Amino acid sequence: MLHALTIDVEDWPQSSLNHDLPITERSVHNTRMMLEIFRRHETHGTFFILGLLAEKFPEVVREIAADGHEIGSHGYSHKAVFQIGPDAFRDELKRSVGLLEDITGQAVRGYRAPDFSVTEESLWALDILAEEGLEYDSSIFPVRMRRYGIDDVPRHMYRLDNGLIEIPMSTVVMGGRRWPVAGGGYLRLLPWALTQRAIRRLESEQIPTIVYLHPYEVDPTELSEIEWPVPLKTRLTQGLNRRHIAGRLDRMLSQFRFGSVAEVLEESPPVPLTTLSSSVVAG
Ligand SMILES: [Zn+2]
């Protein structure tokens, strides 16, 4: 089974600490380290790129595209969808897609919200994405977390009434509840044996795994060298296990088949889901 490898291309201080900070050169360096890993494994993924980063460092966007990866939008400013509201969301979407398409000459088909901020209060975003010609969204975490996530939506890929395909983050069901696996902090902090078991379990359910990562996760020294103050707890949790991520990626890409979201959609078509679109999206 082909699983999806997805990368949210952004700069940690600007995306996670303060949206007013400048995008730093470090994000370019980290993205190149990640590209090198994928080159070694001859694997393509989908890179959801932040508009601000594309604007400041268009050359790295060209490098990603030249390596044959799919280009998607991660919005423009990294502000949460439910905070900026429908009008600013549409503006950010058009601006980021326009930038990426101008730089690469490649049509942008997919979108991922900053911090998975398509939640029950911002489901209108799914209609705006369809209206603006996007083919898929990969922003919903199908489990309720502290800051994001929606309960009671499917764990597999589905097509909404408005034509948009939703590609939810991966979860497995254990002890009667859903657990996030295979992305970001979950991929960094859970033992590899558990992640491996989770991917196998998803395969047995015929659900492709959606792995998501950020370039900064392969940068073990960023949080000790950063020039802005970082709260101690953030420093510990956000920096933990970064030095293991490159090795973990090597194992994952050797043991399982990975590709871009576009490639996964060709192999595992999403199922139509009219009930969700009428009950959840309308609400
Ligand atoms: Zn992000």
Side-chain angles (χ1 to χ4, degrees), residues 8 10 74 78 114-115 214:
D8 296 352
E10 60 194 43
H74 193 38
H78 213 276
D115 298 327
H214 307 85

Side-chain angles (χ1 to χ4, degrees), residues 126-266:
L126 301 176
D127 282 330
I128 295 176
L129 287 165
E131 284 161 24
E132 295 301 330
L134 276 287
E135 288 173 43
Y136 69 84
D137 171 64
S138 182
S139 306
I140 294 182
F141 230 113
V143 54
R144 170 78 76 181
M145 307 299 284
R146 193 164 55 87
R147 285 183 309 138
Y148 52 75
I150 311 179
D151 279 333
D152 303 329
V153 287
R155 295 167 50 238
H156 55 74
M157 305 189 292
Y158 48 91
R159 187 186 288 276
L160 297 164
D161 258 358
N162 66 10
L164 192 76
I165 296 165
E166 178 58 40
I167 310 200
M169 296 309 113
S170 293
T171 58
V172 291
V173 180
M174 272 187 305
R177 59 163 288 200
R178 295 175 176 184
W179 301 88
V181 289
Y186 309 109
L187 185 65
R188 254 186 307 121
L189 305 178
L190 289 178
W192 168 242
L194 272 186
T195 303
Q196 198 179 16
R197 218 179 300 154
I199 298 176
R200 294 222 173 96
R201 188 190 281 221
L202 287 163
E203 284 188 338
S204 72
E205 292 182 84
Q206 296 299 307
I207 299 176
T209 310
I210 313 299
V211 164
Y212 69 88
L213 287 158
H214 307 85
Y216 54 74
E217 283 175 290
V218 293
D219 182 350
T221 54
E222 177 173 41
L223 292 179
S224 51
E225 293 169 7
I226 201 162
E227 57 183 293
W228 299 286
V230 180
L232 181 65
K233 191 175 161 224
T234 309
R235 196 181 291 259
L236 290 175
T237 54
Q238 296 283 313
L240 207 62
N241 272 358
R242 281 190 181 189
R243 66 184 189 287
H244 296 308
I245 253 310
R248 190 158 287 191
L249 265 175
D250 274 331
R251 288 165 99 167
M252 196 178 74
L253 298 177
S254 313
Q255 287 178 34
F256 297 96
R257 283 176 66 226
F258 277 90
S260 66
V261 173
E263 287 169 330
V264 166
L265 282 172
E266 264 173 50

Side-chain angles (χ1 to χ4, degrees), residues 5-211:
L5 181 63
T6 72
I7 318 297
D8 296 352
V9 184
E10 60 194 43
D11 190 32
W12 188 82
Q14 191 276 335
S15 65
S16 306
L17 205 54
N18 180 346
H19 294 140
D20 296 326
L21 290 175
I23 305 281
T24 70
E25 189 94 42
R26 204 157 182 138
S27 57
V28 175
H29 176 75
N30 292 338
T31 303
R32 287 184 177 139
M33 290 214 300
M34 223 162 220
L35 285 173
E36 182 48 43
I37 297 173
F38 301 153
R39 230 174 269 146
R40 219 166 45 228
H41 289 274
E42 297 178 12
T43 299
H44 292 148
T46 299
F47 284 64
F48 296 103
I49 306 174
L50 192 70
L52 274 171
L53 188 142
E55 201 167 56
K56 186 159 179 187
F57 298 111
E59 64 278 12
V60 78
V61 179
R62 278 190 284 270
E63 288 169 36
I64 296 168
D67 271 9
H69 299 289
E70 182 188 9
I71 305 291
S73 164
H74 193 38
Y76 181 79
S77 69
H78 213 276
K79 289 178 184 153
V81 172
F82 50 75
Q83 269 167 1
I84 61 177
D87 293 344
F89 173 74
R90 191 187 296 271
D91 290 347
E92 280 214 12
L93 179 68
K94 286 162 91 165
R95 191 169 177 188
S96 67
V97 168
L99 266 166
L100 295 169
E101 291 187 341
D102 284 350
I103 295 168
T104 64
Q106 184 185 127
V108 169
R109 298 168 58 185
Y111 170 80
R112 169 161 302 142
D115 298 327
F116 310 107
S117 54
V118 175
T119 60
E120 269 157 278
E121 46 181 324
S122 51
L123 285 172
W124 39 260
L126 301 176
D127 282 330
I128 295 176
L129 287 165
E131 284 161 24
E132 295 301 330
L134 276 287
E135 288 173 43
Y136 69 84
D137 171 64
S138 182
S139 306
I140 294 182
F141 230 113
V143 54
R144 170 78 76 181
M145 307 299 284
R146 193 164 55 87
R147 285 183 309 138
Y148 52 75
I150 311 179
D151 279 333
D152 303 329
V153 287
R155 295 167 50 238
H156 55 74
M157 305 189 292
Y158 48 91
R159 187 186 288 276
L160 297 164
D161 258 358
N162 66 10
L164 192 76
I165 296 165
E166 178 58 40
I167 310 200
M169 296 309 113
S170 293
T171 58
V172 291
V173 180
M174 272 187 305
R177 59 163 288 200
R178 295 175 176 184
W179 301 88
V181 289
Y186 309 109
L187 185 65
R188 254 186 307 121
L189 305 178
L190 289 178
W192 168 242
L194 272 186
T195 303
Q196 198 179 16
R197 218 179 300 154
I199 298 176
R200 294 222 173 96
R201 188 190 281 221
L202 287 163
E203 284 188 338
S204 72
E205 292 182 84
Q206 296 299 307
I207 299 176
T209 310
I210 313 299
V211 164

